[in-house]
Amino acid sequence: MCKVVRARLRGLMCGARGVRRDAGMVTSEYAMGIVAAVAFAMVLYKVLSSGEVSAELQGIVKRALHAQM
């Protein structure tokens, strides 16, 4: 009886350790996340600083500032 209880407790402890071991991200996952965020920021900057989008945004701001209240 005691051996069965010990075996079950050992199995539960090994399972709990496995869950804790995978709880966070590793350094390579953080690095890939940062690279993806920087790439997205670069694309967004290029789109917003293009002539067409910039002109459209300026037009929106001008219309908003000259609107009648």
Side-chain angles (χ1 to χ4, degrees):
M1 178 77 172
C2 189
K3 290 180 183 180
V4 174
V5 173
R6 284 185 190 164
R8 286 190 181 178
L9 285 175
R10 191 177 316 120
L12 289 173
M13 292 302 292
C14 289
R17 285 187 201 136
V19 170
R20 271 187 279 164
R21 201 174 301 144
D22 293 336
M25 291 194 310
V26 294
T27 305
S28 61
E29 290 172 334
Y30 281 117
M32 291 303 294
I34 290 171
V35 168
V38 169
F40 179 72
M42 288 175 54
V43 169
L44 188 60
Y45 174 76
K46 288 289 187 181
V47 168
L48 291 177
S49 64
S50 69
E52 299 163 356
V53 175
S54 180
E56 187 65 34
L57 289 174
Q58 286 178 358
I60 290 170
V61 170
K62 284 180 184 177
R63 284 192 303 265
L65 291 176
H66 290 84
Q68 296 291 330
M69 297 235 178

